[in-house]
């Protein structure tokens, strides 16, 4: 019996991510299945501001052991979860207050992630970043607080100047669709 490998989707250019101000998405719960398309298109696109590996998001189950009197073996039950991550982005401290749109563009992601601020991250795995999102786009929605911003020191002369946002999450909603209203 032979098996055929399923081809994968290459990640390059196919993991667009947006930061969306929480004020633009109200009433989001873990039962949410769709969000308005304009919330995403009006958000700050992030994927051109970080290198592969520059965005990490992880969910870790918090569990406890439980054994009812009728059970012969104890079981681990989920009682919650911890969501944490980091986002390391390019920025230019010298252009933070520039009025020139070309100068200000390098800091757009930095400004979308203020320390202490809360945002939604919408990540559309497999969506071509060159194609505008539409009603067929599906993605994961993460609500995160930027707990800290660190201005990083470059390890070599060839590196970009980077800042790291430490993220503490409070909600993950998978496979969210977009609606055109």
């Amino acid at each position: 019996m032979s098996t055929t490998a399923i081809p994968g989707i290459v990640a390059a250019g196919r993991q667009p991510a947006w930061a969306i101000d929480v004020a633009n998405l109200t009433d989001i719960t873990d039962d949410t299945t769709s969000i308005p398309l304009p919330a995403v298109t009006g958000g700050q696109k992030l994927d051109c501001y970080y290198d592969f590996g520059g965005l990490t998001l992880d969910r870790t189950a918090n569990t406890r052991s439980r054994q009812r009197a009728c059970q012969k073996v104890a079981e681990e039950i989920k009682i919650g979860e911890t969501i944490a991550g980091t986002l390391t982005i390019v920025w230019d401290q010298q252009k933070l207050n520039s009025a020139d749109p070309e100068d200000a563009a390098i800091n757009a992601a930095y400004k979308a992630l203020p320390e202490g601020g809360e945002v939604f991250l919408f990540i559309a795995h497999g969506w071509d970043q060159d194609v505008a999102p539409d009603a067929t786009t599906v993605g994961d929605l993460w609500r995160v607080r930027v707990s800290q911003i660190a201005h990083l020191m470059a390890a070599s002369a060839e590196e970009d100047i980077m800042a790291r946002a430490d993220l503490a999450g409070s909600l993950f909603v998978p496979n969210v669709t977009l609606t055109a209203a």
Side-chain angles (χ1 to χ4, degrees):
M1 178 174 156
S2 72
T3 57
T4 302
I6 303 297
I9 302 298
V10 175
R14 289 185 183 84
Q15 281 188 314
W18 291 264
I20 305 165
D21 189 302
V22 293
N24 295 331
L25 287 177
T26 57
D27 301 324
I28 301 295
T29 68
D30 55 0
D31 293 327
T32 298
T33 58
S34 186
I35 60 174
L37 173 62
V40 174
T41 57
Q44 175 59 52
K45 197 155 183 294
L46 298 173
D47 45 301
C48 287
Y49 288 87
Y50 61 88
D51 298 333
F52 274 101
L55 173 59
T56 64
L57 290 166
D58 191 30
R59 299 169 59 215
T60 304
N62 300 326
T63 63
R64 72 172 178 87
S65 181
R66 178 179 75 188
Q67 186 172 8
R68 301 284 190 228
C70 65
Q71 291 177 300
K72 294 181 180 177
V73 176
E75 64 182 319
E76 291 294 315
I77 59 169
K78 182 179 175 180
I79 57 172
E81 70 181 4
T82 301
I83 300 172
T86 60
L87 176 54
T88 304
I89 54 173
V90 297
W91 75 300
D92 185 345
Q93 190 172 43
Q94 304 311 310
K95 295 180 181 175
L96 272 176
N97 299 315
S98 176
D100 182 338
E102 287 186 30
D103 285 350
I106 192 167
N107 290 313
Y110 181 87
K111 288 184 175 187
L113 302 164
E115 186 167 299
E118 191 172 31
V119 298
F120 282 102
L121 298 179
F122 182 77
I123 303 166
H125 301 280
W127 189 262
D128 189 324
Q129 72 93 27
D130 289 332
V131 177
D134 61 28
T136 64
T137 307
V138 178
D140 294 335
L141 191 63
W142 302 76
R143 183 172 49 217
V144 297
R145 179 170 303 282
V146 181
S147 55
Q148 180 174 289
I149 293 283
H151 298 167
L152 305 177
M153 298 300 294
S156 73
E158 297 81 26
E159 286 186 32
D160 291 328
I161 296 173
M162 308 287 271
R164 183 189 68 239
D166 294 327
L167 309 171
S170 59
L171 183 66
F172 169 72
V173 187
N175 307 318
V176 172
T177 61
L178 301 179
T179 54

